[in-house]
C-alpha cells in the first residue's frame, strides 16, 4: 500500500501537505469520519483523493454539480488516476461500463450526483463493490437555510446506515456555526473529527471604492491597468445591467460575456464553457453564476453592486485566486446602492424576525464598506475569527483613508431632513443645503427654512457622501414606497442634538487615477520584470494541449506550475519533475513539450 505522502509527491507533484490535510488523511486512513471546513482554494480535494488512492477499493465522491464533477475527473485522469463519474450526461451504455469498472475494482475514484447515488440500483451496486470511503463535497447543501440547499443531500444519511463501517468525509467552504451543526446532525457525523481552518484568503486583496457615478469607467480602468488579458468575474444585480455591462466592456475591447438566468440554457452553457476553456474571458453575471466554478486562475472578482450580506460578499469574492496567486476583490458602490438595498429591505414582505436578520446582515455589509480600518480584520471578525494585526493587503491598509470630524455637517444634513418634513430624497436635500432656489423648493417654501443655504462649505458630491454614510450607518431611514425619501431614525438623535461626535471617511476626489497608478500592481499574475514572451509561449503550449483533449487549460497545468517553470527554467526532465504540480504522469505526458518551449525561449 502506497503511503499518502508518496502519493502526494508522485501523483500530484507536491512536496508537502498543507495543514490540516495530513491529519484529515490520517483520520480516514484509520477508518474514522471527518468534517472539513476549509476556505475555497484551501486544498480540500486532496483530503479525500489521497486516502481514496491509499486505501483499497474505490472512493465514492458525492458532488452536486455536473460541471464540477467533469472537471475534477478530467484533472484526475491527467494525473494518471483512474477516475470516472456517474451522472445524467452519460448514455446508458456508458453508465453500465462505469458500473462494471466499479465492480471490477478498476476505479480509484467515482464521482456521483446525489440523486443518482440514492437510487436503489446504485445503492445495490455499492453493496457489491469494494469501497474505500465516501466523500460528501459541498456538504453545506444539506442545510435548509443556506442558499444552495439540495433536498437529496438530506437522504445522504442513508450512507451511514447502510455502510456503517466505511469512513465518511464531509467538506465545505461554508464556515458558520449553524450550518456546521446542521451538517453534523443531518449526515450523522456526531463522531467525526472536525477540522476547521482559518478562513482567511491572504492572496485576495480587498478593495471597496466609493463610486458615485463613473463606476463602469473605474471598472474598465481597473481591468486595463491591473488585469489586462486575465480572467475575471463582474457581478451585477440585474439581468439588464449584466447585458449592458457585457456589451459595453466588449465595445471597449475587453472579451466579456454575459451570464444570467434569463439567457437560453445553450447560451449560458456556451459562455460558461468559453470562460473555463479560454484564457482572459471576463464573465459579467448575476449571482446565478459561480457556484461550482472551480477555475483556479480567476484573477479578479468585481462587484458593480453591493452584495446583500457579508456572507455573500465573502463567498462571491472567494471565487478569485483559488490557485493561491495574487488576486483582487474589487467593488464599487455609491449612494444609490445604499438607497436601493435599504428600500428593498424596508419593502420586504418577510416576517419581522426574518427582516431583522436581513437588516442586521445588510448593516454589517455597509459597515464593511464604510470602515476606515483593515477590511480583512473586519471580514474575519464577522465570522468569529480574530486577526491580530492589520493585513497590509486591503485598500484601507494600503492607502489609509483620512477621516474628518463631520459632526456639524451631519447635524446640518439631519436637520435639513427634519425641517423639510422627512419625505425628500438626497438630491432635493442637497439643493436646499446649497441654497439652490428652484420652483419646487419655492413652492414648498423650503427657501424660507433655517437650513436653506447653510451648506455652502461643501460641494454637492461631498454632501451626497455625507448622506450616504448617514444612511449606511442607519442614522437615516429610507421610505418604503421607493421614492428615496429619507426620515430620521431613533439612533440619530444624539448626533442631531450635537451630543455625539461623528467621524466620517474623507472621500477621495480628483486624485483618484494617480492614486491607482501608485498603488502596487501585485494583482497581476506575473511579477514585474518577468519574461512575458516565455509566459505567453508556455500558455500557448498549454492551450494547444488542452484543445487537443477538449479540457480546460488549468487541467493540464496550473498557472503556478507555469510560473515555477519560468523561474526555474528546468533543462532536464528530472529538474522539471521537481516543480510543484508535476507528478509522474504529467511529466511523462508533457515534460518534453514544455522543455522544448523553455529551450527555445
Ligand atoms: P478547494 O477544493 O479547497 O477549493 P482545491 O482542492 O481545489 O481547493 O485546491 C486548491 C489549490 O491548491 C489547487 O491548485 C491544488 O492543486 C493546490 N494544493 C492543494 N494541496 C496542496 C499541497 N499540499 N501543496 C501544494 N498545492 C496544493
Ligand atoms: Zn487590511
Amino acid at each position: 500500500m502506497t503511503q499518502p505522502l508518496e502519493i502526494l509527491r508522485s501523483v500530484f507533484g507536491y512536496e508537502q501537505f498543507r495543514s490540516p490535510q495530513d491529519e484529515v488523511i490520517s483520520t480516514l486512513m484509520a477508518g474514522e469520519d471527518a468534517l472539513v471546513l476549509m476556505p475555497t482554494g484551501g486544498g480540500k480535494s486532496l483530503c479525500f483523493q489521497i486516502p481514496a488512492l491509499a486505501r483499497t477499493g474505490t472512493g465514492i465522491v458525492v458532488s452536486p454539480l455536473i460541471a464540477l464533477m467533469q472537471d475534477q475527473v478530467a484533472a484526475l485522469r491527467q494525473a494518471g488516476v483512474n477516475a470516472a463519474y456517474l451522472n445524467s450526461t452519460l448514455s446508458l451504455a456508458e453508465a453500465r461500463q462505469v458500473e462494471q469498472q466499479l465492480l471490477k475494482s478498476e476505479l480509484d475514484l467515482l464521482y456521483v450526483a446525489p440523486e443518482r447515488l440514492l437510487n436503489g440500483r446504485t445503492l445495490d451496486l455499492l453493496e457489491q463493490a469494494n469501497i474505500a470511503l465516501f466523500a460528501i463535497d459541498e456538504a453545506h447543501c444539506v442545510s435548509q437555510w443556506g442558499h444552495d440547499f439540495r433536498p437529496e443531500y438530506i437522504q445522504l444519511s442513508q450512507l451511514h446506515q447502510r455502510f456503517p463501517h466505511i469512513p465518511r468525509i464531509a467538506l465545505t467552504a461554508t464556515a458558520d456555526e449553524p450550518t456546521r451543526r446542521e451538517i453534523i446532525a443531518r449526515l450523522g457525523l456526531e463522531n467525526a473529527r472536525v477540522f476547521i481552518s482559518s478562513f482567511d484568503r491572504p492572496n485576495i486583496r480587498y478593495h471597496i471604492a466609493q463610486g458615485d457615478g463613473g463606476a463602469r469607467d473605474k471598472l474598465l480602468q481597473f481591468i486595463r491597468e491591473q488585469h489586462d488579458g486575465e480572467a475575471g468575474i463582474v457581478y451585477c444585480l440585474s439581468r439588464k445591467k449584466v447585458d449592458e455591462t457585457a456589451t459595453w466592456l466588449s465595445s471597449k475591447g475587453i472579451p466579456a460575456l454575459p451570464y444570467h438566468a434569463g439567457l437560453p440554457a445553450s447560451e449560458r452553457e456556451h459562455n460558461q464553457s468559453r470562460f473555463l476553456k479560454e484564457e482572459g474571458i471576463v464573465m459579467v453575471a448575476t449571482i446565478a453564476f459561480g457556484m461550482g466554478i472551480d477555475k483556479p486562475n480567476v484573477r479578479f472578482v468585481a462587484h458593480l453592486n453591493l452584495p446583500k450580506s457579508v456572507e455573500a460578499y465573502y463567498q462571491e469574492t472567494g471565487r478569485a485566486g483559488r490557485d493561491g496567486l495574487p488576486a483582487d476583490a474589487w467593488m464599487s458602490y455609491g449612494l444609490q446602492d445604499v438607497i436601493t438595498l435599504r428600500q428593498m429591505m424596508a419593502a420586504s414582505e418577510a416576517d419581522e424576525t426574518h427582516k431583522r436578520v436581513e437588516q442586521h446582515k445588510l448593516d454589517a455589509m455597509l459597515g464593511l464598506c464604510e470602515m476606515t480600518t483593515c477590511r480583512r480584520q473586519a471580514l474575519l471578525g464577522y465570522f468569529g475569527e480574530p486577526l491580530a494585526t492589520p493585513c497590509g493587503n486591503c485598500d484601507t491598509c494600503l492607502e489609509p483613508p483620512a477621516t474628518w470630524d463631520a459632526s456639524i455637517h451631519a447635524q446640518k444634513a439631519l436637520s435639513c431632513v427634519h425641517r423639510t418634513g422627512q419625505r425628500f430624497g438626497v438630491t432635493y436635500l442637497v439643493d436646499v443645503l446649497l441654497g439652490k432656489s428652484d420652483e419646487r423648493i419655492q413652492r414648498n417654501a423650503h427657501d424660507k427654512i433655517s437650513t436653506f443655504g447653510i451648506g455652502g462649505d461643501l460641494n454637492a458630491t461631498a454632501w451626497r457622501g455625507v448622506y450616504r454614510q448617514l444612511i449606511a450607518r442607519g442614522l437615516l431611514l429610507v421610505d418604503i414606497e421607493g421614492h428615496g425619501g429619507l426620515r430620521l431614525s431613533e439612533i440619530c438623535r444624539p448626533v442631531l442634538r450635537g451630543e455625539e461626535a461623528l467621524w466620517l471617511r474623507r472621500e477621495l476626489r480628483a486624485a483618484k487615477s494617480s492614486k491607482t497608478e501608485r498603488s502596487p500592481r501585485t494583482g497581476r499574475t506575473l511579477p514585474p520584470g518577468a519574461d512575458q514572451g516565455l509566459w505567453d509561449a508556455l500558455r500557448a503550449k498549454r492551450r494547444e494541449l488542452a484543445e487537443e483533449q477538449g479540457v480546460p487549460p488549468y487541467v493540464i497545468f496550473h498557472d503556478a506550475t507555469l510560473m515555477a517553470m519560468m523561474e526555474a527554467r528546468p533543462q532536464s526532465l528530472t529538474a522539471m519533475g521537481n516543480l510543484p504540480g508535476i507528478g509522474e504522469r504529467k511529466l511523462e505526458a508533457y515534460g518534453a513539450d514544455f522543455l522544448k518551449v523553455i529551450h527555445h525561449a
Side-chain angles (χ1 to χ4, degrees):
M1 193 169 75
T2 323
Q3 290 308 305
L5 187 60
E6 229 176 293
I7 297 175
L8 179 74
R9 291 179 179 162
S10 64
V11 178
F12 297 96
Y14 296 131
E15 250 338 270
Q16 295 295 338
F17 282 115
R18 287 180 187 158
S19 166
Q21 284 173 333
D22 41 359
E23 279 184 83
V24 177
I25 292 168
S26 315
T27 304
L28 292 166
M29 293 305 289
E32 287 160 32
D33 298 340
L35 170 60
V36 176
L37 301 112
M38 216 190 250
T40 304
K44 283 186 286 300
S45 327
L46 293 186
C47 292
F48 58 84
Q49 289 169 347
I50 290 187
L53 288 167
R55 289 174 66 94
T56 53
T58 304
I60 307 291
V61 186
V62 184
S63 173
L65 289 149
I66 290 177
L68 204 75
M69 218 183 264
Q70 291 170 334
D71 247 34
Q72 288 224 3
V73 168
L76 285 165
R77 286 189 182 154
Q78 290 290 331
V81 175
N82 293 317
Y85 54 78
L86 272 180
N87 63 36
S88 56
T89 64
L90 296 185
S91 68
L92 198 61
E94 286 168 331
R96 291 287 179 271
Q97 198 189 343
V98 171
E99 290 172 8
Q100 284 311 309
Q101 284 178 299
L102 173 70
L103 291 176
K104 284 191 259 163
S105 291
E106 289 171 3
L107 295 174
D108 300 313
L109 279 148
L110 176 62
Y111 284 68
V112 191
E115 59 281 2
R116 185 81 173 216
L117 179 81
L118 292 163
N119 77 29
R121 182 185 161 84
T122 314
L123 287 173
D124 290 344
L125 191 78
L126 292 179
E127 299 269 11
Q128 300 162 50
N130 185 5
I131 298 172
L133 56 87
F134 287 108
I136 300 167
D137 208 0
E138 313 286 355
H140 62 279
C141 289
V142 82
S143 163
Q144 271 176 303
W145 305 111
H147 31 65
D148 297 327
F149 176 55
R150 294 291 202 106
E152 314 86 66
Y153 260 64
I154 292 194
Q155 306 297 320
L156 290 174
S157 57
Q158 284 181 43
L159 291 179
H160 181 43
Q161 287 134 25
R162 285 189 73 151
F163 307 93
H165 302 299
I166 295 176
R168 293 171 304 144
I169 172 174
L171 311 101
T172 177
T174 301
D176 63 275
E177 175 77 37
T179 311
R180 188 191 319 162
R181 279 199 304 264
E182 231 182 320
I183 294 173
I184 292 175
R186 291 193 188 278
L187 296 179
L189 286 170
E190 287 81 6
N191 295 324
R193 264 190 79 182
V194 181
F195 298 88
I196 304 175
S197 303
S198 164
F199 271 71
D200 188 17
R201 304 283 313 278
N203 61 316
I204 297 183
R205 173 174 296 182
Y206 298 100
H207 181 96
I208 302 181
Q210 322 293 315
D212 256 325
R216 244 175 27 176
D217 290 313
K218 275 186 214 153
L219 173 68
L220 180 64
Q221 187 187 2
F222 163 73
I223 297 177
R224 280 188 177 154
E225 285 180 0
Q226 314 221 11
H227 294 288
D228 190 27
E230 297 181 332
I233 305 173
V234 176
Y235 283 114
C236 304
L237 204 58
S238 68
R239 296 172 184 185
K240 185 163 157 258
K241 190 155 169 188
V242 164
D243 289 332
E244 283 168 6
T245 308
T247 309
W248 185 80
L249 283 174
S250 304
S251 77
K252 300 289 175 191
I254 308 283
L257 299 173
Y259 190 101
H260 56 71
L263 294 173
S266 59
E267 189 176 341
R268 274 205 313 266
E269 264 160 45
H270 179 73
N271 289 355
Q272 171 164 331
S273 139
R274 280 193 59 190
F275 178 72
L276 295 177
K277 292 196 173 154
E278 293 176 30
E279 281 169 304
I281 299 271
V282 173
M283 193 68 117
V284 187
T286 57
I287 51 169
F289 178 76
M291 157 107 170
I293 294 300
D294 69 348
K295 184 179 171 77
N297 55 346
V298 175
R299 293 270 65 87
F300 69 91
V301 169
H303 280 93
L304 279 180
N305 288 105
L306 207 64
K308 277 207 303 276
S309 65
V310 177
E311 286 90 343
Y313 176 72
Y314 178 81
Q315 198 183 41
E316 286 153 28
T317 55
R319 290 167 188 147
R322 264 176 181 260
D323 53 10
L325 298 174
D328 277 298
W330 184 95
M331 179 160 102
S332 166
Y333 96 111
L335 175 63
Q336 196 50 52
D337 287 301
V338 182
I339 292 179
T340 309
L341 279 174
R342 283 278 191 233
Q343 240 156 22
M344 276 166 53
M345 205 64 56
S348 150
E349 308 249 300
D351 61 64
E352 278 310 310
T353 329
H354 246 90
K355 251 184 166 163
R356 252 203 310 280
V357 172
E358 285 180 7
Q359 186 72 42
H360 172 74
K361 290 192 169 187
L362 178 58
D363 284 342
M365 186 62 223
L366 290 171
L368 186 70
C369 293
E370 297 291 352
M371 68 189 314
T372 50
T373 51
C374 175
R375 302 224 199 253
R376 190 181 314 269
Q377 277 183 318
L379 191 58
L380 292 174
Y382 182 82
F383 295 114
E385 188 184 325
L387 181 67
T389 50
C391 75
N393 195 28
C394 72
D395 57 343
T396 50
C397 280
L398 292 164
E399 288 179 39
T403 54
W404 59 296
D405 183 350
S407 311
I408 303 283
H409 291 89
Q411 253 176 307
K412 289 180 180 178
L414 293 169
S415 163
C416 192
V417 172
H418 179 63
R419 301 269 169 220
T420 51
Q422 311 201 43
R423 57 200 167 93
F424 291 94
V426 172
T427 309
Y428 186 91
L429 293 165
V430 170
D431 282 349
V432 173
L433 283 169
L434 293 177
K436 283 195 193 164
S437 182
D438 63 13
E439 185 270 324
R440 197 165 158 229
I441 289 177
Q442 285 171 14
R443 182 158 31 93
N444 292 324
H446 287 153
D447 52 348
K448 305 285 188 309
I449 57 175
S450 60
T451 54
F452 183 73
I454 58 166
D457 55 334
L458 292 184
N459 66 16
T461 315
W463 277 117
R464 289 173 72 82
V466 171
Y467 275 113
R468 189 196 70 242
Q469 299 190 56
L470 290 173
I471 301 167
R473 288 166 183 242
L475 274 64
L476 285 173
L477 304 173
V478 177
D479 67 347
I480 303 180
E481 298 78 34
H483 308 303
L486 300 180
R487 58 200 165 80
L488 303 177
S489 76
E490 264 326 296
I491 60 166
C492 90
R493 304 287 167 191
V495 175
L496 180 60
R497 288 197 295 258
E499 292 160 10
E500 199 176 287
L502 188 71
W503 286 75
L504 296 181
R505 65 185 283 152
R506 194 174 285 291
E507 312 281 278
L508 303 169
R509 287 198 205 92
K512 255 170 260 152
S513 59
S514 63
K515 284 252 179 189
T516 20
E517 221 96 81
R518 260 190 288 128
S519 67
R521 294 168 57 174
T522 48
R524 302 205 52 147
T525 322
L526 276 194
D531 183 342
Q532 183 75 42
L534 176 55
W535 177 245
D536 292 341
L538 291 170
R539 292 213 301 178
K541 172 54 74 185
R542 176 174 68 173
R543 198 158 50 240
E544 176 194 319
L545 294 166
E547 270 164 21
E548 267 170 34
Q549 303 179 58
V551 294
Y554 53 82
V555 162
I556 307 281
F557 284 135
H558 279 186
D559 285 359
T561 301
L562 296 193
M563 285 180 58
M565 284 185 200
M566 305 244 307
E567 211 161 284
R569 293 188 179 240
Q571 300 296 319
S572 66
L573 279 177
T574 319
M576 179 76 91
N578 287 331
L579 300 181
I582 308 186
E584 286 165 5
R585 159 77 191 17
K586 287 193 182 181
L587 183 66
E588 195 186 318
Y590 309 124
D593 283 333
F594 283 88
L595 275 182
K596 239 183 262 162
V597 174
I598 293 166
H599 195 70
H600 290 301

